[in-house]
Amino acid sequence: MFILNAKEPKELAAYLYQQKWLQDGETIVSVSKPGEGNMNCVLRIETATRSFIIKQSRGYVEKYPQVLAPAKRVLTEGAFYKKIAIANKVQQIMPTLLGVDAVNNLIALEDLGNSNDYTVLYDLKEKIQEKELLQLVNYLNGLHQSFQKTVVDDELANTEMRALNYEHLFEYPFKVENGCDLDLVQAGLQAIAMPYKKDSEIKVKMERLGSLYLSKGNYLLHGDYYPGSWLKTTEGIKVIDPEFCFYGLREFDMGVLLAHLYLTQHPESTIAFVAENYHSFDELNTTILNGFIGVEIMRRIIGLAQLPLKMDLKTKADLLTFARELILK
Ligand SMILES: Nc1ncnc2c1ncn2[C@@H]1O[C@H](COP(=O)(O)OP(=O)(O)OP(=O)(O)O)[C@@H](O)[C@H]1O
Ligand SMILES: [Mg+2]
């Protein structure tokens, strides 16, 4: 098994020649980390004339090797990129897939250039522009429309990744003992979270929403449609990292998007703008959509997958109240 390691450039070059991801005569000028990530090993390879990205998944989380994760997850990501390549509207907004190595769990992707993601929104200093939001909504329009299935099947089921996400969305945040001391995130957060962990009404809704998340659906979803998956490039917004993709309910992608607009304190007019520009908004099930919005808000405040959110406790408490209302509506 080839293990990607930026500190072993010779072995890396030999591997890339063998894969034919580097041509004869091409030499590596630099190997670097293109940006922050937790789950996988992602590197930028530069030669004298071009650059590309390689991404390897392993049986654990790159940043926390003690945490196990599905080893082949990047192959599902590769399969997603392969699938969307036929839909121009979607492909234009994502990197092109350059290669897949199913033996070593690696993919090669077009380099979108040095770019920041939109996690700066969590500083709460700036808001997303309408023009940018329109690109983000149009990506969902293209993705959800272009790959609609009439009969559900097992394509891109991504079962293991969904099981992992399920725990983080619907279980851990609502457990009293989950190994996470929220006071280490922010003093006082644990006490604010406690009522939600003991909330039997929420537990009932979590079971229902959780099984909807795990159910098969007709629409191809990105599965992790939040600011960390959006890159600000010179050619507009690009979307990356569909490792949590699956065929499911559109309400999930839309719910995650709207949750992060709430988490980054966008006004109701921004939410309305999304609703107006998403082609099938009226077809969505409001109860399910609100539930997914609420769950995503909650798990990002009281769950394990924390964000660099610069928000005071009172505002977090208010958002939790709001999220609970959405879930119980
Ligand atoms: N095709 C690309 N072009 C340019 N930069 C990229 C590309 N793919 C990834 N990056 C950069 O590398 C970072 C990590 O990539 P990615 O999000 O795919 O990894 P990950 O391990 O799945 O991350 P996470 O733990 O957030 O899920 C991105 O935030 C981005 O900055
Ligand atoms: Mg990822």
Side-chain angles (χ1 to χ4, degrees), residues 144-164:
H144 294 171
Q145 275 171 6
S146 308
F147 300 99
Q148 187 177 351
K149 275 189 199 292
T150 43
V151 181
V152 291
D153 58 23
D154 286 332
E155 189 185 1
L156 289 173
N158 212 357
T159 316
E160 286 180 82
M161 284 295 270
R162 252 197 293 170
L164 181 77

Side-chain angles (χ1 to χ4, degrees), residues 297-317:
I297 292 175
M298 284 215 166
R299 74 103 163 208
R300 292 300 191 165
I301 297 179
I302 66 171
L304 272 61
Q306 289 282 329
L307 301 165
L309 191 57
K310 300 217 173 70
M311 187 179 271
D312 58 62
L313 266 187
K314 164 84 172 70
T315 314
K316 282 187 182 174

Side-chain angles (χ1 to χ4, degrees), residues 99-294:
V100 175
D101 173 4
V103 175
N104 297 299
N105 303 327
L106 259 136
I107 60 172
L109 292 170
E110 173 194 359
D111 185 2
L112 299 171
N114 268 323
S115 46
N116 292 320
D117 63 25
Y118 279 77
T119 52
V120 291
L121 291 173
Y122 300 121
D123 289 347
L124 306 183
K125 288 194 186 124
E126 43 184 311
K127 303 289 170 241
I128 196 154
Q129 293 172 18
E130 256 185 16
K131 197 176 75 193
E132 299 173 298
L133 199 51
L134 189 59
Q135 292 176 50
L136 288 171
V137 176
N138 277 335
Y139 172 84
L140 288 188
N141 281 328
L143 184 67
H144 294 171
Q145 275 171 6
S146 308
F147 300 99
Q148 187 177 351
K149 275 189 199 292
T150 43
V151 181
V152 291
D153 58 23
D154 286 332
E155 189 185 1
L156 289 173
N158 212 357
T159 316
E160 286 180 82
M161 284 295 270
R162 252 197 293 170
L164 181 77
N165 215 17
Y166 173 89
E167 291 181 329
H168 282 272
L169 279 159
F170 303 99
E171 289 188 341
Y172 292 146
F174 307 101
K175 268 190 188 151
V176 174
E177 296 293 336
N178 63 10
C180 174
D181 180 1
L182 290 168
D183 286 339
L184 295 178
V185 175
Q186 195 165 8
L189 189 57
Q190 187 74 21
I192 285 174
M194 205 44 84
Y196 299 100
K197 293 175 183 285
K198 295 180 173 164
D199 191 327
S200 55
E201 280 181 277
I202 285 204
K203 290 241 154 70
V204 172
K205 296 288 180 183
M206 283 310 120
E207 273 179 31
R208 167 100 182 108
L209 287 166
S211 66
L212 285 168
Y213 171 72
L214 291 177
S215 67
K216 289 176 193 163
N218 301 70
Y219 298 93
L220 182 57
L221 309 184
H222 178 279
D224 198 15
Y225 204 56
Y226 87 114
S229 300
W230 313 331
L231 293 186
K232 195 172 198 156
T233 80
T234 48
E235 288 167 42
I237 294 193
K238 299 281 179 165
V239 175
I240 59 165
D241 202 13
E243 64 181 338
F244 285 100
C245 68
F246 63 102
Y247 272 92
L249 299 174
R250 292 172 291 187
E251 285 83 352
F252 186 71
D253 270 349
M254 183 51 73
V256 171
L257 166 61
L258 294 181
H260 286 266
L261 292 178
Y262 283 118
L263 282 160
T264 49
Q265 303 215 288
H266 285 76
E268 279 297 330
S269 59
T270 307
I271 308 296
F273 179 83
V274 171
E276 275 158 29
N277 286 285
Y278 180 71
H279 294 333
S280 320
F281 202 83
D282 293 344
E283 287 174 26
L284 299 182
N285 177 312
T286 314
T287 308
I288 297 173
L289 176 64
N290 285 337
F292 285 147
I293 298 172

